[in-house]
């Protein structure tokens, strides 16, 4: 997270220029993210969408009103900030998140739907304070990083929950257990 916070500060906290909706989970987070973006766009909001992974083209990860980020925006960003990235050596996902946040601010989106890369608590997207957090259904994924039980995985994904921010949860069973066992301190 330290690198993500450093990059965010370097770029002037671009995600603070628009509202965000943060989405995590094991199953359905991509579909939910795309549906939310489509609904917001249909309602007249200029909408950013950040998802992963991509299917054919890296640029599919970053969209504004359904259109993928132009190739020139990606290459310009990488070349313009190469010195900074060479110095701090962010991960691929940290750099991609920074690009998405930067591009959405540049495009002056009203709102961006941000899909977590993995987990939630320590994900590089978790620097945002969203207007809504969404946790889809939770199952066994990335157990080597998130934990070997559903409770541990749910706790990691619940890491996107922030005080006083509404949360929509796909499956309440695991999350309820976290609250009742005081795993979360929100």
């Amino acid at each position: 997270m330290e690198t993500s916070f450093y990059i965010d500060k370097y770029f002037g906290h671009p995600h603070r220029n628009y509202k965000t909706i943060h989405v995590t989970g094991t199953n359905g987070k991509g579909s939910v993210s795309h549906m939310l973006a489509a609904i917001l766009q249909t309602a007249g909001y200029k909408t950013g969408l950040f998802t992963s992974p991509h299917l054919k083209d890296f640029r599919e990860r970053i969209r504004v009103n359904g259109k993928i980020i132009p190739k020139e925006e990606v290459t310009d960003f990488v070349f313009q900030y190469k010195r900074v990235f060479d110095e701090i050596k962010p991960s691929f996902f940290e750099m991609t998140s920074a690009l998405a946040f930067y591009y959405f601010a540049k495009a002056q989106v009203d709102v961006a739907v941000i899909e977590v890369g993995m987990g939630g608590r320590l994900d590089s997207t978790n620097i945002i304070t969203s207007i809504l957090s969404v946790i889809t259904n939770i199952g066994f994924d990335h157990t080597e990083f998130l934990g070997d039980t559903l409770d541990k995985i749910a706790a990691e994904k619940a890491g996107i929950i922030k005080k006083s921010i509404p949360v929509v949860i796909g499956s309440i069973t695991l999350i309820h257990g976290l609250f009742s066992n005081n795993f979360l301190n929100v």
Side-chain angles (χ1 to χ4, degrees):
M1 293 292 299
E2 185 177 323
T3 303
S4 296
F5 284 116
Y6 180 88
I7 294 170
D8 185 48
K9 183 177 179 182
Y10 180 85
F11 285 107
H13 313 287
H15 58 87
R16 295 181 184 171
N17 292 310
Y18 45 87
K19 292 175 174 37
T20 56
I21 297 173
H22 209 183
V23 181
T24 193
T26 302
N27 300 307
K29 68 182 180 193
S31 298
V32 167
S33 296
H34 279 275
M35 285 186 276
L36 285 170
I39 291 166
L40 290 163
Q41 185 181 341
T42 300
Y45 294 99
K46 189 170 187 181
T47 305
L49 175 62
F50 178 48
T51 60
S52 63
H54 58 276
L55 297 176
K56 293 182 181 178
D57 184 331
F58 164 80
R59 297 174 303 133
E60 296 168 15
R61 294 170 178 249
I62 303 168
R63 299 171 182 262
V64 172
N65 282 351
K67 293 185 171 70
I68 63 174
I69 185 172
K71 190 179 287 186
E72 299 76 30
E73 290 288 344
V74 176
T75 55
D76 288 352
F77 179 82
V78 171
F79 287 123
Q80 185 173 355
Y81 299 107
K82 182 180 182 331
R83 181 192 57 75
V84 174
F85 294 135
D86 284 346
E87 179 184 318
I88 61 174
K89 301 188 182 345
S91 70
F92 172 79
F93 195 74
E94 287 167 334
M95 191 183 313
T96 304
S97 298
L99 170 60
F101 296 152
Y102 174 87
Y103 180 64
F104 294 153
K106 184 176 179 182
Q108 298 180 324
V109 300
D110 300 310
V111 62
V113 178
I114 308 296
E115 179 187 340
V116 166
M118 180 177 60
R121 183 176 65 90
L122 299 176
D123 189 79
S124 60
T125 63
N126 203 24
I127 61 172
I128 64 175
T129 301
S130 60
I131 60 168
L132 175 67
S133 296
V134 179
I135 303 174
T136 66
N137 292 334
I138 296 172
F140 288 100
D141 67 332
H142 306 289
T143 55
E144 64 276 19
F145 302 107
L146 304 179
D148 58 358
T149 68
L150 288 178
D151 283 347
K152 289 177 184 176
I153 294 167
E156 288 298 317
K157 292 178 187 288
I160 70 165
I161 297 172
K162 307 245 182 358
K163 186 174 184 154
S164 301
I165 304 298
V167 182
V168 176
I169 299 172
S171 176
I172 196 70
T173 307
L174 289 172
I175 301 299
H176 180 268
L178 292 175
F179 282 111
S180 63
N181 292 323
N182 292 320
F183 284 117
L184 296 176
N185 188 12
V186 293

